[in-house]
Amino acid sequence: MPYSLLLFDYDGTLCDTQRAIKHSMRRTFEIMGYPTPNEALMDEAVGRGLLLPEMLLWLHAPGTPPLPAVWVDTYRAIYNTEAEELVTLFPGTEQVLAATAANNQTLVVVSNKGLPLLENSLSRFGLRHYFSLVLGDTPDRQLPLKPDPAMFTHVIQPRFSAIGPGATLMIGDTTPDLRFARNCGISSCWASYGFGLENDNLPLQPTYRISSLPELLPLLQ
């Protein structure tokens, strides 16, 4: 197999979370007493792969100071209690994970999403057992998130030390995923069916481009 270690993004790659994210945005602004965010701005925030605090700040007026932590806490509570049920799998997700696992390829989720939300969603869909490791944002996080390579160099490589960067592939839909791959010195696959914009992602010259998740399988033969 050309790649023994597959790093998957979650939002916009394994799962279609756009409805859940936008629902959580609207409800957060409503609860905090602000007008509903503009739809186009929400789409752009999702497409850019912004971190949650950045995403919430993006939807405010220019010059808004950093938001209190209660905004992030409110969003995550809404997502977990109201919006998670809006999440759906992209077509072929379980088929691809089962096929790669059957090939003895090691699967890891590398996401900027909150780790409890990731674990909850993957378990709900019955996908958690496919992954040897799930990495996401936590309140006590010590390492920076994508596109910083720290999660790869400090966590993934030591855990799977027998697999070199040349046998590792990052699959994701937005620029933080592709920049992460470049910063780690590994191959990248742009999931163009996800949320990322072509004008943002193609200039990063991903190693591969797929328009559906099952298109990944021929690349792994």
Side-chain angles (χ1 to χ4, degrees):
M1 291 294 172
Y3 298 106
S4 301
L5 178 58
L6 305 179
L7 312 181
F8 285 92
D9 178 45
Y10 169 83
D11 290 285
T13 302
L14 296 174
C15 291
D16 187 348
T17 56
Q18 189 168 46
R19 288 177 61 207
I21 292 171
K22 292 171 71 172
H23 173 83
S24 300
M25 289 180 186
R26 295 188 194 99
R27 289 281 289 125
T28 298
F29 274 70
E30 177 187 349
I31 288 173
M32 302 305 293
Y34 282 73
T36 300
N38 176 275
E39 286 287 325
L41 282 179
M42 285 196 288
D43 289 338
E44 189 168 358
V46 173
R48 288 180 178 271
L50 299 177
L51 297 176
L52 179 53
E54 297 171 344
M55 184 170 64
L56 292 168
L57 190 59
W58 176 273
L59 301 174
H60 283 71
T64 301
L67 300 174
V70 67
W71 279 81
V72 171
D73 294 340
T74 300
Y75 174 97
R76 285 181 170 160
I78 292 167
Y79 192 104
N80 199 39
T81 58
E82 299 179 16
E84 168 60 26
E85 64 184 21
L86 301 175
V87 176
T88 59
L89 294 177
F90 281 110
T93 295
E94 187 161 14
Q95 167 201 349
V96 170
L97 297 181
T100 53
N103 288 334
N104 294 316
Q105 290 160 312
T106 300
L107 311 183
V108 174
V109 171
V110 185
S111 174
N112 290 345
K113 200 177 197 68
L115 183 57
L117 298 178
L118 289 172
E119 294 281 7
N120 179 46
S121 186
L122 292 171
S123 296
R124 180 170 74 88
F125 286 117
L127 303 178
R128 179 61 181 87
H129 67 284
Y130 289 116
F131 297 99
S132 300
L133 182 64
V134 176
L135 298 175
D137 195 10
T138 62
D140 60 348
R141 173 172 51 87
Q142 301 296 312
L143 298 175
L145 299 173
K146 297 178 296 185
D148 192 289
M151 284 200 291
F152 182 69
T153 57
H154 289 67
V155 181
I156 296 172
Q157 280 191 306
R159 176 78 174 266
F160 308 105
S161 58
I163 305 175
T168 304
L169 177 67
M170 176 71 207
I171 304 102
D173 69 310
T174 60
T175 57
D177 303 311
L178 301 186
R179 293 185 187 279
F180 176 75
R182 185 173 64 184
N183 292 341
C184 295
I186 62 177
S187 297
S188 62
C189 179
W190 179 43
S192 66
Y193 58 85
F195 306 149
L197 306 174
E198 185 172 289
N199 289 343
D200 291 338
N201 288 276
L202 284 188
L204 296 175
Q205 300 182 316
T207 314
Y208 309 102
R209 172 181 180 172
I210 55 175
S211 58
S212 69
L213 195 52
E215 288 182 14
L216 179 66
L217 292 178
L219 306 178
L220 305 177
Q221 300 301 317

